[in-house]
Amino acid sequence: MEIGRTAEPLAIPLPAPDQTGGKPLMAALKERQSIREFSAKPLPHQALSDLLWAGFGINRPENDHRTAPSTMNMQEIELYVALADGLYLYDAKPHRLKPVLTGDLRAKTGGQVALQEAPAVLVLVADFSRMTKAKPQDRDFYAAIDAGFISQNVYLYCASAGLATVVHDLDRPPLAQAMKLRPEQRIVIAQSAGYPK
């Protein structure tokens, strides 16, 4: 199937996140770094599950609160995951990947070839329609802060699990068009993740 057509496959249920593994927090902080060269080896579903849960998963099921804070609890950030076979949306409550598009969009998420080799690229998108509690002039600011919280969680998970990650800038309009985002959805940042080369 070509990029841009609606995906037919079913959602990918992720295994329960391993909340007991990894290095201690202080060791992860010591080893946190940006790594820009990736192995093409795909991430197993368990590693992807742990990474997404660490980034913005539900850690308090009784009220659906997350591993990263959200300004005024607006929960405007959505985690899209670009993999070799398609674009997915992380659905935190059932902890699964919902298919959005088939085709490989990773090359559209950053200009550097090395970043395109990462098996997974997270695209953090703010849905401004959920930001009714914020003044219009503050929405970009709050979306950037909230995306930063999630990104740092991903950095710490990757340091703890021996994975590589880096945040990178991108050409937002063409990627938003390829992702078929609505006008009220805005890409904040992209973050590649995978095994170091």
Side-chain angles (χ1 to χ4, degrees):
M1 295 179 106
E2 61 184 293
I3 292 174
R5 293 183 60 193
T6 304
E8 301 294 334
L10 299 174
I12 300 171
L14 296 167
D18 179 2
Q19 299 172 22
T20 62
K23 297 176 184 170
L25 175 61
M26 297 304 275
L29 284 165
K30 181 181 177 192
E31 295 181 22
R32 192 227 55 85
Q33 62 180 308
S34 294
I35 299 175
R36 291 173 174 79
E37 293 188 1
F38 296 89
S39 162
K41 177 182 174 186
L43 288 173
H45 282 178
Q46 185 65 59
L48 196 54
S49 168
D50 296 348
L51 181 143
L52 293 170
W53 182 85
F56 203 42
I58 293 175
N59 65 352
R60 288 159 286 165
E62 65 277 4
N63 54 19
D64 293 339
H65 285 183
R66 307 288 192 99
T67 57
S70 174
T71 304
M72 293 182 261
N73 199 31
M74 291 183 285
Q75 304 293 336
E76 79 282 4
I77 301 295
E78 298 174 320
L79 264 68
Y80 286 83
V81 185
L83 303 173
D85 66 340
L87 180 70
Y88 297 85
L89 178 63
Y90 175 52
D91 191 358
K93 192 162 185 166
H95 193 61
R96 65 180 180 177
L97 289 174
K98 290 172 46 178
V100 176
L101 299 169
T102 56
D104 192 349
L105 289 180
R106 293 175 300 165
K108 294 185 181 293
T109 64
Q112 298 176 22
V113 174
L115 301 179
Q116 298 168 15
E117 294 174 356
V121 181
L122 306 181
V123 182
L124 282 66
V125 174
D127 185 343
F128 277 44
S129 69
R130 297 181 192 167
M131 300 184 80
T132 55
K133 296 177 188 175
K135 295 176 185 173
Q137 65 269 24
D138 293 335
R139 291 176 184 167
D140 283 326
F141 176 73
Y142 290 139
I145 288 172
D146 292 345
F149 294 139
I150 295 166
S151 174
Q152 182 67 352
N153 280 3
V154 171
Y155 262 106
L156 291 174
Y157 167 75
C158 288
S160 175
L163 297 176
T165 191
V166 65
V167 168
H168 45 92
D169 199 12
L170 63 156
D171 193 356
R172 287 171 179 80
L175 180 58
Q177 184 176 10
M179 292 174 66
K180 301 198 175 300
L181 297 180
R182 301 182 316 275
E184 63 272 18
Q185 291 178 293
R186 300 194 191 159
I187 296 169
V188 183
I189 54 172
Q191 184 167 6
S192 295
Y195 293 102
K197 198 166 197 173

